Amino acid sequence: MTIDEWWESGERVALSFGGAERSVFVQRLGGGDPMTLVHGFPSSSHDWALVVPALAEGHALLLPDLLGFGASDKPADHTYSIHEQADLVEALWAAEGITRTRLVAHDYGVSVAQELLARRADGALGVDLVRVDFLNGGLYPDIHRPEPVQTALLDPVQGPQISAIIDEELITGALAPTFATEADLAAHAGDIWRSLERYDGHRNAHLLIRYISDRQQHAERWTSVLERTDVPLRFVWGMLDPISGAHMAERIRERLPDAPLLALEDVAHWPPLEAPDRVAAALLA
């Protein structure tokens, strides 16, 4: 689907979490065993659009836009956090009556999935996680390599200044190193920009980027749960990714030697966009 078709065929639902009621965009597709897919920064659930046709043949897919992203609410001057995004996912599961699900996460979403795994380990998650599949993201914050624009957005002075002037050209330039050279950067960057700028969300970029600080603050909680959970984990990894690529895959193999890892040698940071057929096949394996 085009991004317009994606928005037209989904819906905004009212969810209460974090002490407020928010409108959250949700796409539902397919039928069968539940599968929840969580997107990355700075985009939206539309990142999965090329993957979902194959997945929807045997799974009931649930794809939310996280708070501040895509077609969900984008409150200004808000303290965005990974914990609140995990609250959003839990609230959505409750509203949908989901008690067990596969979970698939990319980029920003991997931290949301790690927090949900940690809540399960604490006995505080009411949903059974059948399996978690991770795609490129900063699972181990000490070796995560943010792009220069991400580092600048984190700066308390530069960050708001960048959010004030950010546009499609700047976003496309920032995304270019994170795609493999064969990828259709222009098409994908355009959709990512539209996801970000909807409801003036690009003005919040310096607020959304705080997830990097969240990862550092909660590193022990989120990395240790990977290595002690009894939930089956699988990894689908673009090895050319400068942010969380081959070096992150090496750490995963070192710490989680029994977990299956599919190395996509010609793919960078965006496997669902760069290699959707291979990603779908891996998720269905």
Side-chain angles (χ1 to χ4, degrees), residues 65-70 72-75 80 85 195-196 201 204 208:
D65 284 351
L66 297 173
L67 188 69
F69 294 85
S72 289
D73 279 356
K74 297 177 174 179
Y80 291 90
Q85 305 288 16
S195 293
L196 179 62
N204 296 332
L208 296 172

Side-chain angles (χ1 to χ4, degrees), residues 126-240:
V127 172
D128 181 25
L129 297 180
V130 178
R131 174 175 133 188
V132 180
D133 294 80
F134 291 104
L135 291 77
N136 295 60
L139 293 168
Y140 290 93
D142 62 308
I143 57 172
H144 176 251
R145 301 171 181 170
E147 287 290 293
V149 69
Q150 292 177 299
T151 302
L153 276 170
L154 267 177
D155 184 87
V157 175
Q158 293 185 72
Q161 295 172 346
I162 294 172
S163 289
I165 64 167
I166 200 167
D167 58 15
E168 184 172 1
E169 182 179 2
L170 191 155
I171 283 292
T172 301
L175 289 171
T178 70
F179 278 88
T181 54
E182 295 79 9
D184 187 356
L185 170 65
H188 298 316
D191 287 342
I192 291 171
W193 166 247
R194 290 192 62 197
S195 293
L196 179 62
E197 64 89 27
R198 190 178 174 99
Y199 308 142
D200 286 332
H202 54 301
R203 304 304 181 204
N204 296 332
H206 63 293
L207 304 175
L208 296 172
I209 200 68
R210 292 175 183 168
Y211 76 92
I212 294 178
S213 300
D214 271 1
R215 283 177 174 170
Q216 295 166 347
Q217 180 180 352
H218 302 287
E220 176 58 27
R221 173 176 172 82
W222 292 345
T223 58
S224 65
V225 75
L226 289 176
E227 297 164 18
R228 58 187 172 88
T229 186
D230 60 352
V231 176
L233 306 180
R234 295 195 179 196
F235 300 87
V236 182
W237 223 256
M239 302 297 275
L240 298 180

Side-chain angles (χ1 to χ4, degrees), residues 12-25:
R12 279 163 58 92
V13 301
L15 297 177
S16 294
F17 59 93
E21 184 173 285
R22 307 291 189 186
S23 289
V24 172
F25 175 84

